[in-house]
Amino acid sequence: MIPKPHYSLINTSIGGDPAVVVVNAALRTFTDRQALPWHLRISIDCKQLSANGMPTIEEDDILQMQEAIIAPLLQSNQNAVFLARITSRGERVLLYRVYDPEVADNTLKKIISKPSPLREWDYRMEEDPDWELAQPELKLLAHDLRYN
């Protein structure tokens, strides 16, 4: 059973650059991890950036609209669960855990083939039954006092 999401906002950095990460904290203690053995990484290119490499307010609105197109279709029938959103260095990265990679791949191919996306984006999906690829984001929660 997929846990009800609980989101944690973390201000951090990648190298010397600022990063804003939203993590689904409910997955930190999720015990049925073998049900979601695939790691999906969606990268969306940002166009309008502030001086620190973060998207402007206007750009963030566009990124949220792009995510609103992708997320519901990807998460239909509980085939994918949101893990994290990372915004840094002129890029927004969406991470999901996936049950059936063929369903997710077909869904994403349909979305990406539509003309004139709000922003250019691509994706990569890897089998990751031990959730090693999810650890960097889940470990960020270890520094959050609400979860310790």
Side-chain angles (χ1 to χ4, degrees):
M1 182 173 177
I2 306 298
K4 181 179 176 184
H6 179 347
Y7 304 110
S8 182
L9 175 68
I10 301 166
N11 289 306
T12 186
S13 62
I14 297 175
D17 299 315
V20 176
V21 182
V22 175
V23 180
N24 181 354
L27 295 181
R28 183 174 184 226
T29 57
F30 179 52
T31 58
D32 194 19
R33 290 184 172 183
Q34 70 275 5
L36 301 165
W38 292 83
H39 186 81
L40 172 61
R41 182 183 197 278
I42 300 171
S43 302
I44 305 171
D45 296 331
C46 301
K47 287 187 179 179
Q48 301 170 36
L49 301 175
S50 63
N52 63 6
M54 297 297 281
T56 63
I57 293 170
E58 296 82 11
E59 181 70 10
D60 191 63
D61 290 343
I62 293 168
L63 294 170
Q64 287 182 34
M65 286 188 281
Q66 183 71 64
E67 186 176 349
I69 293 168
I70 297 169
L73 296 171
L74 186 62
Q75 293 176 293
S76 67
N77 299 319
Q78 294 190 332
N79 190 55
V81 174
F82 175 83
L83 168 64
R85 176 190 310 119
I86 305 156
T87 306
S88 182
R89 297 180 170 176
E91 179 181 50
R92 163 112 0 125
V93 175
L94 307 174
L95 301 176
Y96 291 88
R97 297 304 302 191
V98 175
Y99 171 71
D100 185 332
E102 288 183 36
V103 170
D105 187 55
N106 290 336
T107 299
L108 292 168
K109 282 180 179 174
K110 286 178 189 172
I111 299 169
I112 213 165
S113 70
K114 295 189 183 210
S116 304
L118 295 170
R119 291 293 178 261
E120 293 297 317
W121 60 279
D122 63 1
Y123 67 96
R124 183 177 72 229
M125 195 164 15
E126 298 177 60
E127 190 169 15
D128 181 35
D130 296 325
W131 284 48
E132 289 301 316
L133 296 171
Q135 290 310 304
E137 290 71 36
L138 293 175
K139 286 182 179 177
L140 284 174
L141 296 169
H143 303 293
D144 191 330
L145 297 176
R146 291 174 291 177
Y147 301 101
N148 295 304

